């Protein structure tokens, strides 16, 4: 499929969980914008508060109290912004990983022999579950293949 329609395969890989990823990404982006906006507001308040203190409009006690409060909020916002940026970056990496996987598949399309190099290049891990016997006496065993860059394909 990678040789026939690279774009279709890439879209199918990304489609698995795409709705959830898109919803999460939109939520993270809006949360990131709100955090960045609030950080700018807090920074502005901090500057105005310093100006009020230096002009004698607020007491040193109130200045120190508000300083601690705003510094704590600034630190929380910095951590939140960093976390959200990392999460959004990980989402973007998923698409890049899928593209890398399609390129690998194209490179190893139509193998004539199953080699260790081929398996190590394309497959991250294989999970073999314990075999069970069904009521009709048939033996069932689930095997999961996790591919490099994209994980398990259903």
């Amino acid at each position: 499929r990678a040789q026939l329609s690279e774009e279709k395969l890439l879209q199918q890989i990304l489609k698995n969980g795409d709705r959830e990823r898109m919803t999460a990404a939109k939520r993270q982006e809006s949360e990131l914008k709100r955090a960045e906006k609030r950080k700018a507001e807090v920074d502005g308040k901090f500057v105005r508060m310093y100006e009020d203190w230096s002009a004698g409009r607020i007491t040193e006690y109130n200045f120190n109290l508000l300083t601690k409060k705003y510094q704590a909020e600034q630190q929380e916002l910095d951590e939140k912004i960093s976390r959200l940026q990392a999460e959004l970056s990980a989402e973007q990496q998923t698409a890049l990983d899928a593209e890398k996987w399609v390129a690998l598949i194209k490179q190893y399309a139509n193998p004539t022999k199953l080699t260790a190099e081929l398996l190590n290049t394309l497959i991250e891990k294989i999970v073999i579950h314990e075999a069970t016997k069904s009521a009709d006496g048939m033996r069932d065993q689930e095997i999961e293949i996790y591919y490099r860059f994209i994980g398990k394909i259903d």
Side-chain angles (χ1 to χ4, degrees):
R1 289 195 328 202
Q3 285 182 320
L4 295 175
S5 177
E6 178 179 338
E7 190 62 33
K8 273 187 178 180
L9 179 60
L10 190 58
Q11 286 179 0
Q12 181 182 0
I13 291 168
L14 291 174
K15 191 175 113 180
N16 293 346
D18 202 28
R19 185 176 295 141
E20 294 170 15
R21 269 197 306 271
M22 293 297 285
T23 303
K26 284 181 183 178
R27 181 187 52 76
Q28 290 168 338
E29 285 175 7
S30 66
E31 196 174 336
L32 178 61
K33 286 179 184 176
R34 282 194 310 271
E36 288 173 337
K37 182 180 177 184
R38 178 62 184 160
K39 173 107 172 45
E41 289 173 3
V42 170
D43 290 346
K45 286 182 179 189
F46 203 95
V47 169
R48 285 189 301 280
M49 182 186 64
Y50 178 77
E51 291 170 354
D52 287 344
W53 173 71
S54 63
R57 289 187 289 258
I58 64 171
T59 65
E60 187 171 345
Y61 174 79
N62 287 337
F63 174 77
N64 290 332
L65 187 71
L66 291 171
T67 298
K68 288 178 186 176
K69 177 187 174 231
Y70 286 140
Q71 284 176 336
E73 188 174 358
Q74 282 174 324
Q75 184 176 357
E76 287 175 18
L77 288 167
D78 284 338
E79 291 169 3
K80 185 176 186 177
I81 289 169
S82 295
R83 178 183 52 83
L84 288 168
Q85 287 172 336
E87 289 172 3
L88 285 169
S89 178
E91 289 297 322
Q92 292 168 347
Q93 188 62 41
T94 299
L96 293 174
D97 287 348
E99 290 173 10
K100 288 179 187 176
W101 188 79
V102 169
L104 275 176
I105 289 296
K106 284 178 69 175
Q107 179 182 349
Y108 287 99
N110 301 321
T112 55
K113 186 176 179 184
L114 186 61
T115 64
E117 177 190 5
L118 177 66
L119 285 175
N120 288 329
T121 302
L122 297 178
I123 296 175
E124 184 176 326
K125 67 180 176 181
I126 299 173
V127 178
I128 301 172
H129 296 275
E130 188 174 336
T132 59
K133 283 197 176 184
S134 60
D136 61 356
M138 295 292 292
R139 180 183 158 163
D140 293 324
Q141 189 164 16
E142 184 181 353
I143 298 175
E144 298 174 325
I145 300 174
Y146 292 83
Y147 296 94
R148 289 210 184 281
F149 303 117
I150 62 167
K152 181 179 166 189
I153 298 177
D154 293 324

